[in-house]
Amino acid sequence: MLPLLRINRCFFVCSSSSLSFSPSEVRPFSKFLIHRLMPRSGTMAARLSTAAGSPKLLFRQLFEKESSTYTYLLADVGHPEKPALIVDPVDRTVDRDLSLVKDLGLKVIYAMNTHVHADHITGTGLIKSRVSGVKSVISTASNAKADILVEHGDKIYFGNLFLEVRATPGHTLGCLTYVTGDEPDQPHPRMAFTGDALLIRGCGRTDFQGGSSHKLYESVHSQIFTLPKDTLLYPAHDYNGFTVSTIEEEMLYNPRLSKDEDTFKTIMENLSLPYPKMIDAAVPANLVCGMQDLPAN
């Protein structure tokens, strides 16, 4: 009998040849839905290697210029099926992303969001409509629809690699940070995909979608700044031409989050930012995985 891997409330039938997990991550069968997790396939390019014989991470950082959004493609190219996931895809650039996936011979298994975006429509719905078997992923706290709802502490496997889920609310109620694993067979240095919670020399606004400057400060300092200092930080957006930072850099030089909490709150209360131009279209669409205009199956 194949082992069962639990990601939040969904159980997956897993082949030991395609997934790596510890005994603590195996749950007994219950009434919950079971899916067969078939590994599928996802600028800056990098390939991070760990010890000999261990998984290899293929990594691509992609950019959507209208909303200044970064999309991330990660794959285990050491696995024969090259399973991959896409983080924060944008509807406008799905064709580009899937063309790259095809060129690299990857099989997408997950299309994931760090939160319900207000500045663009997610590409997860389009990806699901074009690639059979892809599962959408978002946080339970986001109150959005997706195939898999994850919570703090969950692990999302693609081949023998995984991302750890960390709840980092504050920009919105449902913000997540996805972090590569800390085990010896996982890529080093670690990588943190912080969404809008922590940007390079900045952070997401906290004045809508259940935002809270107190929660954001607490999230960043307890869930992100506690990562190893050499952890590479990849945000969902950048407006100044930066592509990557580190935890140590942001702890030292972030003009908002390197300050004490009272100073941070004052900064956030006085940003005087305009109403997001895409919010009225983006939020309703992203609450249903960007599938609002697709025909029902």
Side-chain angles (χ1 to χ4, degrees), residues 8 34 50 59 108 132 135 172 220 244:
N8 190 37
I34 297 178
T50 54
F59 172 66
V108 179
S132 176
K135 303 294 183 183
T172 72
V220 171
V244 62

Side-chain angles (χ1 to χ4, degrees), residues 27-41:
R27 305 290 190 271
F29 175 79
S30 77
K31 63 182 180 180
F32 296 106
L33 180 65
I34 297 178
H35 300 284
R36 181 172 295 275
L37 186 60
M38 297 296 292
R40 315 180 66 87
S41 159

Side-chain angles (χ1 to χ4, degrees), residues 52 58 62 66 70 80 111 113 120 123 129 131 144 153 166 189 195 200 212 215 235 258 268-269 278 282 286 288 295:
L58 180 143
L62 305 161
E66 290 191 43
Y70 284 125
N113 283 293
H120 68 269
S129 73
V131 183
R166 294 194 174 203
I200 298 173
S212 162
K215 287 182 180 179
S258 62
M268 299 306 290
E269 289 168 0
M278 279 285 294
N286 293 336
V288 290

Side-chain angles (χ1 to χ4, degrees), residues 211-274:
S212 162
S213 57
H214 167 69
K215 287 182 180 179
L216 182 57
Y217 190 89
E218 185 178 66
S219 293
V220 171
H221 280 262
S222 66
Q223 299 300 324
I224 300 177
F225 282 175
T226 52
L227 290 165
K229 291 184 178 180
D230 64 347
T231 300
L232 300 173
L233 188 151
Y234 292 99
H237 302 280
D238 191 85
Y239 310 98
N240 299 301
F242 293 110
T243 57
V244 62
S245 183
T246 65
I247 298 302
E248 183 174 31
E249 278 188 37
E250 296 310 310
M251 291 176 69
L252 290 172
Y253 306 123
N254 191 293
R256 299 177 186 175
L257 286 154
S258 62
K259 305 294 192 291
D260 62 79
E261 185 174 353
D262 287 340
T263 302
F264 175 72
K265 287 181 178 179
T266 300
I267 292 171
M268 299 306 290
E269 289 168 0
N270 290 280
L271 291 178
S272 300
L273 295 172

Side-chain angles (χ1 to χ4, degrees), residues 38-95:
M38 297 296 292
R40 315 180 66 87
S41 159
T43 139
M44 172 182 289
R47 182 173 295 184
L48 284 74
S49 299
T50 54
S54 60
K56 290 184 178 180
L57 173 66
L58 180 143
F59 172 66
R60 296 288 187 272
Q61 181 183 45
L62 305 161
F63 189 66
E64 194 283 309
K65 63 182 180 180
E66 290 191 43
S67 61
S68 296
T69 298
Y70 284 125
T71 295
Y72 298 100
L73 173 66
L74 295 86
D76 179 0
V77 295
H79 188 281
E81 296 191 40
K82 297 183 179 179
L85 52 82
I86 301 177
V87 179
D88 285 337
V90 179
D91 63 344
R92 299 186 187 100
T93 48
V94 164
D95 288 343

